Amino acid sequence: MADQPLFERVALIGIGLIGSSLARVLKRDGLAGRIAIADASAEARAAAVRLGLGDSVTQSVAEAVTGADLVMVCTPMGAFAAVGEAMAPALARGAIVSDVGSVKQAAIRDLGPSIPEGVHFVPGHPIAGTEHSGPEAGFAELFQGRWCVLTPPAGTDRRAVEKMIALWSAAGSMTEEMDANHHDQVLAITSHLPHLIAFTIVGTATDLESHLQQEVIKFSASGFRDFTRIAASDPVMWRDIFLNNREALLESCARLSEDLAQLQRAIRWGEGDKIENLIRRTREIRRKLIDAKQA
Ligand code: NAP
């Protein structure tokens, strides 16, 4: 527990999985003097009150950000522009605005124009999550041992960046600063493409004849089961991620199609050594991931 809270008043806009996990961290570690919550969903607001996630809960973004020295935007990315417009007139000079959106160039595009002079904008992305949504799904340990990428635009006040590093460190995360464009390319490969593949595979199985479908569920081996977990992710969030990281994701898809064609060819022509070499390489990646404690 900190002697002095890191922030006097934190406004959490969107109290779903990520917003509510942050609220739990702020409460656990005494990092905020007050927590003000705004959410568009009456159900989420009621849950936030029931779970005691903040000191005030409202539908009004402007009301929540009034007097806040940190505003964290934790809504789906499709709402960022509207949230930016709603909060702009109420932002206090010297406040920090940050977010947790999964695509950083789009976050800067949609929130950036609403940040007034004298307010510091430090976009961020915790590389942590589950397939569950909503305030009930959050937990304080979500960010423990995970990376959080910060993409402050050039010239951002260093003290504001350091405060965000302090917040994410308290949440148990390692932080790294990166250019927003680079972040989006990396995440297209490590997160967005795997989700796209999972949605596609599970969708293909769903399209099979109904009797076969039942067998897919019944004999679901670990491979398919693992895909269904990822494919159970929130439709609105993933629609927004795909549409907002279009170029990088389409480039990753093109690369995947080429590699897939090569593997198909190896299978067709019985080139066992090529198949084996590929799997040896991918196995090595898994080993490295375990060594880096990111498995
Ligand atoms: P979530 O559980 O679906 O919660 C989002 C909440 O924001 C919902 O209660 C939603 O209400 C509310 N909301 C929507 N529009 C709003 C608006 N204009 N003003 C105020 N509240 C609004 O979402 P999440 O999984 O926490 O994801 C939030 C953000 O974190 C996304 O931008 C996502 O890209 C990012 N992120 C997610 C993960 C993950 O694994 N989930 C990981 C890293 C980053 P309604 O239900 O009524 O829309």
Side-chain angles (χ1 to χ4, degrees), residues 168-183:
W168 286 110
S169 301
S173 295
M174 298 84 75
T175 55
E176 182 143 326
E177 287 173 55
M178 206 181 272
D179 171 67
N181 175 44
H182 186 67
H183 165 279

Side-chain angles (χ1 to χ4, degrees), residues 124-266:
H125 177 209
I127 319 272
T130 72
E131 67 278 27
H132 304 296
S133 310
E136 318 263 3
F139 53 103
E141 298 73 27
L142 178 66
F143 311 109
Q144 190 70 41
R146 299 281 163 213
W147 285 96
C148 179
V149 178
L150 299 175
T151 63
T156 305
D157 182 77
R158 271 322 295 174
R159 278 165 310 178
V161 178
E162 295 301 332
K163 274 193 112 171
M164 292 314 296
I165 292 174
L167 171 60
W168 286 110
S169 301
S173 295
M174 298 84 75
T175 55
E176 182 143 326
E177 287 173 55
M178 206 181 272
D179 171 67
N181 175 44
H182 186 67
H183 165 279
D184 293 352
Q185 286 180 18
V186 172
L187 269 290
I189 285 283
T190 57
S191 168
H192 309 167
L193 187 65
H195 276 82
L196 181 146
I197 293 169
F199 296 137
T200 311
I201 289 182
V202 177
T204 304
T206 319
D207 290 342
L208 293 175
E209 306 278 359
S210 66
H211 71 280
L212 208 52
Q213 230 189 77
Q214 280 169 11
E215 307 212 316
V216 167
I217 303 286
K218 187 171 166 190
F219 298 118
S220 159
S222 67
F224 186 72
R225 239 193 345 249
D226 289 350
F227 279 119
T228 61
R229 184 187 61 74
I230 300 175
S233 299
D234 188 72
V236 172
M237 173 178 143
W238 282 96
R239 176 202 66 192
D240 289 352
I241 291 174
F242 286 178
L243 294 178
N244 280 294
N245 202 17
R246 189 175 52 189
E247 271 77 32
L249 184 56
L250 290 177
E251 172 58 23
S252 302
C253 283
R255 295 283 292 266
L256 175 77
S257 301
E258 285 172 23
D259 293 345
L260 191 60
Q262 275 191 28
L263 183 57
Q264 280 173 295
R265 199 183 145 78

Side-chain angles (χ1 to χ4, degrees), residues 14 16-18 39-41 74-77 79 100 102 125-126 128-130 133-134 237:
L17 171 72
I18 302 292
D39 199 290
S41 153
C74 306
T75 67
M77 297 218 57
V100 295
S102 307
H125 177 209
T130 72
S133 310
M237 173 178 143

